[in-house]
Amino acid sequence: MYIFIVAETCGLFPKDGDEIDLAAFEAYISLTSSSIIDTIEIKPENFLIVDDYKSVFKDTVIGVSFENDKLVAKEQEYEITNSIFDGESLLDESCFPDKYNKYSMLLLRQRFFKSACFKTKIQKWFADNNITEISQLNGFTTADDISKIKVITTPSSIKFMKFGTLQKWLDMLEPTFGIVKHEKPTHYFDGRKVSCHYQLINTLQLSESDVNKLLEPSLDYITKVRSDPAILRYHINYPYKEMDINPIVSKNEIVFKLLGVNADFAKTKLYYDFRNDLVRSLIRELKQGHILINGNYSTLLGNGYELLRQSIGKFNGESIIGKGNIHSRRFEYDKVILGSRSPHVCAGNVLLVRNVACDEIDKYFDLSNEVVYVNAIGENIQQKLNGADYDSDSILLTDNQLLIDAAQKNCDKFKVPTCFVSAKKIKRYYTNEQKADLDVKTSVNKIGEDINLSQQLNSLFWQHIYDGQTFEQNRELYEDICKLAVLSGIEIDKAKREYEVDVEKELNLIKKKYLIIKECVDRITGEKIEKIVKPVFFKMITRENGYDLNPKHYYRYFDTPMDYLQKRLNSFNFHSARENTDEVLPFSSIIKPCANPNPGRSYREQRDRIIEIVKNCNSALLELYIGYDEKTKEEKEEVKNQANEIKQECVEYVNSLLINETTMYLLLATLDNKMYRRISRRIFTILFGTPNKLFFSMVEDNKNKIEKLEESENGDIILYDITYKKIHS
């Protein structure tokens, strides 16, 4: 027990009743219990700890502060302070294990230590700068030889220094560090595409025509998925998002394998049902703003070259890439790039930067396409990205010209919402009562409510602009949206520090201020009732978050990007793009003839027993989902878990039976029987969910060649902006 406490607190032993920064202490002792994917060995003598650096400058922003017991937002020139190395470290390339060698960042955690460690040629840097002795370094280390320096970090990553000395932390440090994560490419088109989100779309000055153009590639893709089995097969092999997972395998995998066995499967009703479900799912994704665009999510590396210079005392406070620039190998150089970090609240959070080449960065940093080098010296990038730091924060980056053009409209008017709300100086003591009080105060998080309100106000802002109002006429509205940007950061940070702002009170004040009421007539009673007006896309947000629509809300189209998107998708009819008639083959047509033309009673009884089991499974699932729409989000999640258990039990039972080819043939033949129409798809997935290979062996081997897609510059099929050709597998 004593050993565990030492490990958890890194040798810090606050006594009961001691005054302490309780919020920070409780947050940092949890670092050792983080889930990890691997470990790495770094010795205490491998560390060089240099000073953090704060860039202080003036900028005209929307400053949000807490004055006279209320939140205040106003545009004026303020002094901005950026901690430019906050939460990051440089890790020598020799320390990256072989299996992580293709990555450029490892998020490491240890006792009271958390840092995003970026792959750097530290020893080459020392050699190129004639650094051969420890005495030439500008920092603290216990190393006795320059070759032992493998990590360059700052106190911002060593949380222990808020409570104890650096020497004590090094004395307590063990060599095993947990690898929490690394940067990753997106799942879309080999990492070349990224899924946009509604928060970004609804803060851009997009016209209805712009939104329609933005949707064109996605709608074209859906049309092609629906009309061509080869394209659908390509899609489900690289799925956008898992859909309705069977306990053993996904429906995607079932269809993918069957399309590879028999091309005629694409003419069966089971295929058409799956295809239509898939299309509806893709449309639903688009309604949430999940539009694929060129780009990725990139982890932020802040002023890493400057940190190298800091390590040898040559940093002079200047940036190697300069203000307004980034360095990313993912995009063309000398091009404008748009960036957005979640949560994304308003137009002032949209990052517009130029991607620049930099030989010095490439010389000493081995950066993947999923790491972006940014600058915080003299520019307000950290607040523009809603309180970003460099402990593995990532941002969406894209060169989509349509989005960039929209962001550049009046961008100078949308000043950055910048937080000047100080953490509250609360005397906390190390007692169980104080711990409980802190838990209560941090247990309720308003981030979702904050973001939803911000998008409602953004919709109102764009409606006013569409109606002919000026930015100046809506300055107060924009300033209130900026308050919400700051409040979102406070909500995220409150696990580590306490603020004097009553977030719920501020949210309610802003809600009340912009409440729109519409008088409606109750359809049943005929009485006049008042409803709160919301944008149409809030229907989608509410349902996708697992909640029921509020009968007190009235949804109408606003002239705002996300409602333009709903309007276009509601009018899109994928049926119009299909052939007039789909040839429908019975599933039995692709089953091999039964070797036993006159199956005996025992085979039919086994078939009927399995069908009865599937019926019982189906009935149990239907009963489980009674009143589903009235349940809470947590209750709905529990229903889904129970449903998976029921399906799993059914799969395991069927798998335990000794099913031969005759019984399997009889079962597969029932898929076309109208008697079993209600459970045919369930029979299909249950049979496929078992590890039994017999199912596949019963499907007729392919008589026609299977077509699949292959990326080709000379192809005649375009999916988004990538060309493919068909080949025979």
Side-chain angles (χ1 to χ4, degrees):
M1 181 67 176
Y2 175 79
I3 294 173
F4 173 75
I5 293 174
V6 171
E8 184 183 56
T9 66
C10 200
L12 295 171
F13 297 104
K15 297 177 182 177
D16 191 54
D18 280 357
E19 186 174 337
I20 192 172
D21 185 348
L22 191 60
F25 186 76
E26 291 294 305
Y28 298 146
I29 62 175
S30 68
L31 292 176
T32 53
S33 60
S34 302
S35 61
I36 60 174
I37 59 174
D38 214 329
T39 59
I40 186 174
E41 299 296 306
I42 304 174
K43 296 178 181 179
E45 59 265 32
N46 297 143
F47 278 84
L48 171 65
I49 299 94
V50 304
D51 289 340
D52 280 294
Y53 181 84
K54 296 186 184 298
S55 174
V56 182
F57 56 95
K58 290 188 176 181
D59 191 16
T60 300
V61 300
I62 303 294
V64 179
S65 56
F66 194 68
E67 303 173 11
N68 301 320
D69 202 34
K70 65 178 181 179
L71 213 57
V72 177
K74 52 189 174 185
E75 180 181 325
Q76 66 180 50
E77 188 177 70
Y78 289 85
E79 185 174 87
I80 309 296
T81 302
N82 287 341
S83 181
I84 69 170
F85 309 134
D86 192 4
E88 72 182 18
S89 300
L90 308 182
L91 181 63
D92 192 75
E93 59 184 352
S94 64
C95 294
F96 275 66
D98 288 344
K99 62 180 174 179
Y100 299 109
N101 207 37
K102 65 179 179 179
Y103 301 112
S104 301
M105 185 280 296
L106 299 178
L107 177 61
L108 302 184
R109 289 192 181 182
Q110 239 269 24
R111 291 179 291 179
F112 280 69
F113 176 87
K114 174 190 177 187
S115 192
C117 300
F118 294 90
K119 186 188 290 185
T120 313
K121 297 177 175 67
I122 292 177
Q123 289 299 317
K124 176 176 173 54
W125 168 258
F126 288 157
D128 289 352
N129 286 275
N130 299 314
I131 304 297
T132 58
E133 303 292 335
I134 292 294
S135 60
Q136 294 175 275
L137 297 176
N138 179 40
F140 180 84
T141 182
T142 58
D144 56 11
D145 189 278
I146 199 72
S147 65
K148 293 183 179 179
I149 303 299
K150 303 295 183 183
V151 185
I152 300 173
T153 192
T154 72
S156 67
S157 292
I158 305 172
K159 312 305 180 184
F160 186 90
M161 292 182 67
K162 294 186 178 183
F163 307 95
T165 66
L166 175 58
Q167 184 62 61
K168 185 174 181 181
W169 180 72
L170 289 168
D171 291 342
M172 294 295 299
L173 196 61
E174 292 185 355
T176 303
F177 284 71
I179 300 175
V180 179
K181 64 178 180 179
H182 49 73
E183 82 275 18
K184 293 180 181 178
T186 70
H187 299 297
Y188 316 118
F189 292 89
D190 298 322
R192 288 171 288 181
K193 303 297 176 186
V194 65
S195 177
C196 201
H197 52 78
Y198 84 93
Q199 294 170 21
L200 172 61
I201 290 172
N202 209 47
T203 57
L204 296 175
Q205 199 168 348
L206 291 161
S207 67
E208 187 168 5
S209 175
D210 291 335
V211 172
N212 291 340
K213 287 179 183 177
L214 184 64
L215 282 169
E216 277 179 11
S218 296
L219 295 180
D220 176 68
Y221 179 78
I222 291 174
T223 299
K224 289 173 179 174
V225 165
R226 194 186 190 287
S227 62
D228 192 329
I231 296 175
L232 183 142
R233 191 171 187 266
Y234 174 85
H235 171 83
I236 61 178
N237 194 33
Y238 303 97
Y240 282 11
K241 185 178 178 181
E242 289 294 346
M243 301 164 36
D244 190 11
I245 300 300
N246 179 275
I248 301 298
V249 292
S250 72
K251 281 195 261 183
N252 284 9
E253 188 177 346
I254 296 172
V255 173
F256 183 83
K257 288 182 177 179
L258 279 177
L259 283 172
V261 175
N262 193 303
D264 282 344
F265 173 68
K267 298 176 183 178
T268 66
K269 186 176 184 302
L270 284 166
Y271 172 81
Y272 293 139
D273 287 343
F274 171 83
R275 178 197 64 184
N276 293 341
D277 286 346
L278 175 61
V279 167
R280 280 189 285 269
S281 173
L282 293 175
I283 293 290
R284 191 166 63 246
E285 287 288 297
L286 289 180
K287 284 192 172 185
Q288 297 175 63
H290 296 161
I291 303 169
L292 286 195
I293 54 178
N294 191 57
N296 69 3
Y297 273 96
S298 292
T299 302
L300 298 170
L301 165 58
N303 293 106
Y305 184 78
E306 288 73 18
L307 183 51
L308 275 177
R309 293 178 64 83
Q310 179 86 318
S311 72
I312 59 173
K314 291 188 176 181
F315 176 47
N316 59 4
E318 296 181 0
S319 166
I320 192 170
I321 60 172
K323 292 194 294 183
N325 299 318
I326 61 170
H327 177 67
S328 169
R329 293 180 175 179
R330 169 63 181 79
F331 303 95
E332 285 185 52
Y333 294 132
D334 201 31
K335 297 288 185 182
V336 174
I337 304 296
L338 181 147
S340 167
R341 176 175 171 263
S342 293
H344 178 94
V345 177
C346 66
N349 293 133
V350 178
L351 180 69
L352 287 172
V353 283
R354 184 166 294 277
N355 189 32
V356 297
C358 185
D359 292 339
E360 287 299 295
I361 294 175
D362 291 339
K363 184 177 181 180
Y364 296 107
F365 293 88
D366 185 7
L367 302 185
S368 69
N369 283 349
E370 285 72 42
V371 171
V372 58
Y373 190 105
V374 299
N375 169 61
I377 298 174
E379 64 176 307
N380 198 14
I381 189 172
Q382 293 172 341
Q383 292 289 333
K384 179 172 272 291
L385 295 175
N386 213 3
D389 56 24
Y390 309 109
D391 65 356
S392 78
D393 283 3
S394 63
I395 62 172
L396 183 154
L397 290 177
T398 180
D399 58 1
N400 183 285
Q401 197 58 49
L402 195 152
L403 297 185
I404 291 170
D405 290 344
Q408 288 176 329
K409 296 176 187 175
N410 301 309
C411 63
D412 58 317
K413 295 178 181 177
F414 298 108
K415 302 301 182 185
V416 180
T418 303
C419 181
F420 292 97
V421 180
S422 302
K424 192 175 181 180
K425 300 296 183 182
I426 299 177
K427 283 191 176 182
R428 287 281 188 188
Y429 301 94
Y430 195 70
T431 66
N432 289 334
E433 292 78 12
Q434 288 276 284
K435 291 179 187 178
D437 181 67
L438 182 63
D439 285 344
V440 170
K441 284 183 167 55
T442 58
S443 62
V444 179
N445 197 288
K446 295 286 184 179
I447 185 69
E449 189 177 337
D450 179 282
I451 297 302
N452 284 347
L453 180 56
S454 73
Q455 293 307 321
Q456 184 176 337
L457 297 194
N458 278 316
S459 301
L460 184 60
F461 182 93
W462 295 127
Q463 181 65 63
H464 288 173
I465 298 299
Y466 179 85
D467 291 338
Q469 294 185 21
T470 65
F471 178 87
E472 284 304 317
Q473 289 174 299
N474 288 276
R475 174 176 293 279
E476 186 176 349
L477 172 55
Y478 179 68
E479 289 174 348
D480 284 335
I481 297 172
C482 289
K483 290 180 185 177
L484 295 174
V486 168
L487 287 174
S488 70
I490 289 173
E491 281 296 281
I492 292 170
D493 277 352
K494 74 179 185 182
K496 295 182 291 185
R497 55 183 67 91
E498 297 180 79
Y499 292 87
E500 54 190 345
V501 177
D502 184 334
V503 174
E504 185 171 13
K505 175 185 172 183
E506 295 295 337
L507 289 177
N508 288 334
L509 286 172
I510 296 173
K511 277 183 189 175
K512 187 177 180 180
K513 186 175 180 180
Y514 296 101
L515 198 64
I516 303 175
I517 300 295
K518 179 178 176 60
E519 192 175 82
C520 304
V521 177
D522 189 283
R523 293 182 180 180
I524 299 175
T525 65
E527 295 179 358
K528 290 184 178 180
I529 55 174
E530 291 185 338
K531 291 191 175 187
I532 300 172
V533 176
K534 300 275 188 179
V536 166
F537 76 93
F538 267 66
K539 275 188 178 181
M540 172 275 301
I541 293 174
T542 303
R543 286 170 173 158
E544 290 301 324
N545 286 333
Y547 298 106
D548 296 325
L549 298 180
N550 191 330
K552 295 181 180 179
H553 291 169
Y554 174 83
Y555 300 95
R556 73 166 177 83
Y557 283 107
F558 279 61
D559 284 289
T560 192
M562 277 302 295
D563 271 5
Y564 293 149
L565 185 145
Q566 306 306 308
K567 189 183 295 184
R568 175 68 185 100
L569 293 175
N570 286 338
S571 68
F572 176 66
N573 184 358
F574 59 79
H575 293 287
S576 64
R578 69 177 182 178
E579 297 178 5
N580 293 330
T581 58
D582 285 327
E583 180 185 0
V584 181
L585 296 177
F587 189 79
S588 57
S589 68
I590 66 170
I591 305 173
K592 291 177 181 177
C594 183
N596 185 355
N598 298 303
R601 179 179 176 182
S602 61
Y603 299 116
R604 293 194 299 272
E605 286 179 347
Q606 189 179 42
R607 174 202 61 189
D608 293 343
R609 186 161 71 253
I610 293 171
I611 288 174
E612 191 62 29
I613 291 165
V614 176
K615 280 183 177 179
N616 292 339
C617 172
N618 221 39
S619 297
L621 291 171
L622 290 172
E623 184 176 347
L624 186 62
Y625 277 91
I626 292 174
Y628 181 79
D629 290 340
E630 284 72 44
K631 296 182 184 297
T632 65
K633 188 176 183 180
E634 291 73 20
E635 289 172 337
K636 288 179 178 178
E637 195 63 34
E638 179 60 27
V639 166
K640 291 177 182 178
N641 291 335
Q642 291 180 32
N644 276 337
E645 289 177 9
I646 291 171
K647 288 186 279 187
Q648 180 72 18
E649 288 175 6
C650 186
V651 167
E652 290 175 355
Y653 181 83
V654 172
N655 190 52
S656 69
L657 301 175
L658 296 175
I659 303 175
N660 62 18
E661 287 189 7
T662 303
T663 301
M664 182 63 78
Y665 178 84
L666 292 173
L667 282 167
L668 294 177
T670 65
L671 298 177
D672 296 318
N673 193 321
K674 292 182 179 179
M675 285 178 57
Y676 306 113
R677 182 173 53 192
R678 291 187 177 181
I679 63 167
S680 61
R681 292 173 76 179
R682 182 72 61 201
I683 294 172
F684 181 72
T685 54
I686 292 298
L687 290 177
F688 224 113
T690 68
N692 196 323
K693 304 289 185 182
L694 188 56
F695 182 100
F696 289 107
S697 69
M698 295 298 296
V699 177
E700 189 76 51
D701 289 337
N702 187 56
K703 295 177 182 177
N704 302 311
K705 291 183 178 180
I706 301 292
E707 292 182 323
K708 69 176 185 179
L709 295 192
E710 181 181 83
E711 192 171 335
S712 170
E713 292 182 1
N714 301 318
D716 57 355
I717 297 172
I718 301 175
L719 304 180
Y720 292 95
D721 54 359
I722 305 172
T723 56
Y724 299 82
K725 66 179 180 181
K726 285 185 181 180
I727 61 172
H728 294 297
S729 58

